[in-house]
Amino acid sequence: MTTVAELLIESLAEHGVRTVWGVVGDALNPVTDAIRREERIDWVGVRHEEAGAFAAGAQSQLTGRLGVCMGTVGPGALHLLNGLYDAKKSHTPVLAICGQVPREEMGSDFFQEVDNDAVFADVAVFNRTVTSVDQVPALVEQAVNTALAEQGVAVLTLPGDVGGLELPKDTPLPRFVDRQGYGAPSADALQRAAEAINAAGTATLLVGQGARHARAEVLELAERLAAPMVLTLKAKDGFEEDNDFEVGQSGLIGNHATKVAFDGGDVLLMLGTDFPYREFLPTDTTVVQLDVRGEHIGRRTSVDHALVGDAQEGLRRLLPLLEQKTDRRHLGKARSSYTSWRERQAQLADPAYDHKPQGLLRRRLDNPDGRIRPELLAAAVERHADADAVFTSDTGMATVWLSRFVRMTGTRRLVGSYNLGSMANAMPQALGAAALDRDRQVVAFCGDGGLSMLLGDLITAVTYDLPVKLVVFDNGRLGMVKLEMEQVGLPEYGTELANPDFAAVARSIGMDGVRVERPDDVDAAVRDALARPGPVLLDVLTNPEEVAVPPKPTLSQGWSFAIAKSKEFIESR
Ligand SMILES: Cc1ncc(C[n+]2csc(CCOP(=O)(O)OP(=O)(O)O)c2C)c(N)n1
């Protein structure tokens, strides 16, 4: 005899699921019991279900396979929500198994009852509550197949009395179908796009993660068109190194070379990207957009040639139609702007560099306490991290420093909350990555605000010996918000964080914890922390006044910043 819970878990194990993340309890007890008896699946009991959902989502993003998490009746399921939204917006398949009150109590506003079907309606591509045993095999199959096919979140809700029910003899095991690629754009559309590209003097590429599997074709395209290549943050992973065309990121985290690239291109080719910041995209340009998701086309900028299809298939068919561009001046200009920006960044990361702004801003930016510049820290991590490390970064300034200083070699990987933009993602995503392979280095760039949101799950790293290296940019601030306020002339307010010594917190729960307070200690501390075997937290006191200049700083932003700084100065007196 097989129970509902056993069937579910066995089918997931058969499909290759190796970890389930969550918090145990009531309606899901039969499911955790089935996991306990299933040798192929490990249970990781997190301290907050959101951490479990982030971890499952990270595993899915790194492997391309199904991630699985669980949250039990009412609040346990609700706690999954933010991590599930992250999976949804990252287009990655995750199954959430949620608990519900027993069937006879459903609809009676019973203790802990929430309407999961309503709650998860927006986040899930599949979202059903099991109400009868007969439905189970088909619903499990549909849940997982929909998550895989649509690269999204499936929520399967099990009422408390259902998980332990026995299924009829000979109930077949649900079987799942992995995604099997997409088709190519139509030949007509490709022909018209090729004519427009051939007619244009200069071309620029904006490449996103959707083209990651087409690296060779994208590089051939850049060479054919002598085109500078702007990479989205998510496309750092896959395109950054050994690439003579890349000019870094655009958007607020980006650099000026991307503006040079965008402004100088007669035609813009957007490949596998839904880059959302329209104000950074060029105007008066012919735009060709290639994306497997038709709904992405044209929603950020007006598109002249829509190519709906797989990036690799599309480029393989487009390339033979394209003429070689011989004028490389546009590429040269963008690349030389990028090279000089990188040289300036390297200066900022040099411990010997005297970083003293002049004039009105001087007093506030002087860093009188001698706190560590975040650039210095990020560059030290870049120097000492393994060539195949997995990186995660918290939403906030930590992501800016990662984007600017960490180079993604072909074998490094990167995961963040880059579409949802949630805080607190880096540490739990790192847990997910570490559980995939404990021998591979996993480094999280954590904000102090982000880390403290899900601080309890530091304990999970210790309990399950997940050897994550957590680098905390401890600036005592919600730093990105501070910068947002100052850029519009507001003095910072509500952004200060009275932090504990995070290294001491780590040590108190059995994790290696190291606090770094002086710039001179950064390099050795990073090197040592990364070399230690188990989980390590490196708490580095960084300068909250460090600013990151965007690619298109405006005069008004500069003025607003100066005004905010003077207001802060006056208030501080
Ligand atoms: C869950 C969540 N709450 C609020 C925000 C808005 N927000 C974006 S960045 C940020 C500050 C992040 O601070 P911290 O983690 O300390 O990193 P820092 O920017 O200082 O490096 C805030 C509050 C968010 N993105 N996500």
Side-chain angles (χ1 to χ4, degrees), residues 82 394-398 401 421-423 447-451 453 473 475 477-481 484 497:
N82 196 47
D394 264 337
T395 298
M397 298 306 287
W401 310 129
S422 171
M423 288 168 71
D448 45 353
L451 180 81
M453 267 186 184
F473 288 71
N475 56 4
R477 289 293 190 294
L478 298 169
M480 180 158 270
V481 178
E484 278 168 15
L497 299 174

Side-chain angles (χ1 to χ4, degrees), residues 219-272:
L219 286 172
E220 194 181 334
L221 179 71
E223 173 58 40
R224 181 79 50 84
L225 302 181
M229 189 189 296
V230 179
L231 298 179
T232 66
L233 180 57
K234 294 177 77 170
K236 265 174 84 76
D237 177 347
F239 283 102
E240 196 168 56
E241 279 301 83
D242 301 323
N243 180 345
D244 295 334
F245 304 91
E246 68 111 0
V247 294
Q249 278 77 68
S250 178
L252 274 178
I253 62 169
N255 81 91
H256 183 71
T258 59
K259 182 168 158 49
V260 175
F262 281 149
D263 287 353
D266 298 331
V267 62
L268 172 69
L269 284 86
M270 296 170 65
L271 309 173

Side-chain angles (χ1 to χ4, degrees), residues 158-241:
L158 292 181
D161 57 318
V162 167
L165 291 179
E166 287 181 353
L167 292 159
K169 252 207 226 121
D170 307 327
T171 303
L173 198 66
R175 283 185 301 181
F176 311 127
V177 189
D178 274 312
R179 200 178 65 156
Q180 293 177 2
Y182 294 101
S186 83
D188 272 3
L190 285 164
Q191 184 60 44
R192 285 194 298 273
E195 283 162 15
I197 297 166
N198 288 336
T202 55
T204 296
L205 311 185
L206 171 59
V207 180
Q209 196 212 25
R212 187 168 184 273
H213 60 297
R215 179 184 159 96
E217 290 79 5
V218 172
L219 286 172
E220 194 181 334
L221 179 71
E223 173 58 40
R224 181 79 50 84
L225 302 181
M229 189 189 296
V230 179
L231 298 179
T232 66
L233 180 57
K234 294 177 77 170
K236 265 174 84 76
D237 177 347
F239 283 102
E240 196 168 56
E241 279 301 83

